[in-house]
Amino acid sequence: MRAVSSDALTSPPPSSGPSGLWRTVAEIERYVASDGWGAPLRLFALVRTADALQRDPGLEWRLPSNVVDEARADADHLTSVEQEGVPDVADLDDLLAQLAWPDGVDGAALVVEKILVPPDAEAEVRAATSADDEEGRAKALAAHPLAEDVRIAVGVLRDSRHECAVRSRSKDSDGEVRTGADLVPGLVSALQATLSD
């Protein structure tokens, strides 16, 4: 497992003000973006840094000093811990259905790349391909002229707060990342379910 830390945000926070979760999702998305496109799904546990420091005082010496200072000033400060050994599965829903987090984990985040096409284009491809040819349909969608590669980062907390960040390959810069709580509601719900008791 690796903790993720990064420099100050370069894109503006939402108008309601920067929450600890929003900052963390933005940092995770930039961290994954630094590895380029074509990456597998990445999964992170989220823990409140101040609580983690209370449980393990020695953690103070393992974290960067600016992170410790931020955690002391902001009870919502989160530390993300990348989960290694995430199985490579064909269906994201199958993976999420198998996940459960221990009590010490306050939230979860994931980053996944998808190919998106407008609804009309998807309907056109569905009409032109056989329902049992999922592989052919996926290839046709990926080859569609309106297809767009996107990287989606979602973070959720046990109290149901959530944030999303979406970066498209055609506008691949930190300033062009779209953020908002409800950009990918289905993925938010599926990830939130991994925190249910």
Side-chain angles (χ1 to χ4, degrees):
M1 293 195 251
R2 291 190 305 231
V4 178
S5 61
S6 66
D7 299 315
L9 297 175
T10 57
S11 56
S15 57
S16 61
S19 70
L21 181 58
W22 181 86
R23 286 189 308 267
T24 301
V25 170
E27 288 172 357
I28 289 171
E29 192 285 326
R30 277 199 326 273
Y31 168 73
V32 172
S34 69
D35 288 341
W37 290 89
L41 175 138
R42 310 275 285 271
L43 187 64
F44 301 82
L46 303 179
V47 294
R48 284 195 171 76
T49 312
D51 293 347
L53 287 165
Q54 267 189 329
R55 286 190 302 267
D56 178 6
L59 185 59
E60 179 178 353
W61 310 112
R62 298 191 306 271
L63 290 174
S65 60
N66 67 312
V67 169
V68 173
D69 292 342
E70 289 170 14
R72 287 189 174 131
D74 178 6
D76 275 343
H77 188 278
L78 295 165
T79 294
S80 55
V81 182
E82 184 167 8
Q83 306 300 292
E84 295 180 353
V86 176
D88 187 17
V89 294
D91 189 319
L92 178 58
D93 290 333
D94 288 345
L95 173 66
L96 294 178
Q98 298 172 37
L99 286 180
W101 300 95
D103 290 340
V105 173
D106 298 299
L110 68 79
V111 181
V112 64
E113 292 180 16
K114 293 283 185 188
I115 297 172
L116 298 183
V117 293
D120 292 347
E122 184 173 354
E124 170 190 311
V125 170
R126 285 187 181 283
T129 57
S130 166
D132 358 338
D133 184 12
E134 289 184 32
E135 186 176 330
R137 183 175 286 170
K139 286 181 180 177
L141 286 170
H144 196 282
L146 297 177
E148 177 75 59
D149 288 337
V150 295
R151 179 181 300 111
I152 302 167
V154 173
V156 299
L157 295 176
R158 288 191 187 272
D159 65 9
S160 298
R161 285 184 289 161
H162 54 277
E163 292 291 345
C164 310
V166 178
R167 179 189 300 251
S168 68
R169 190 187 286 242
S170 64
K171 296 179 180 177
D172 191 2
S173 73
D174 292 347
E176 294 288 342
V177 174
R178 290 185 53 210
T179 60
D182 299 315
L183 296 178
V184 283
L187 189 52
V188 166
S189 295
L191 186 58
Q192 191 75 54
T194 68
L195 294 166
S196 299
D197 294 332

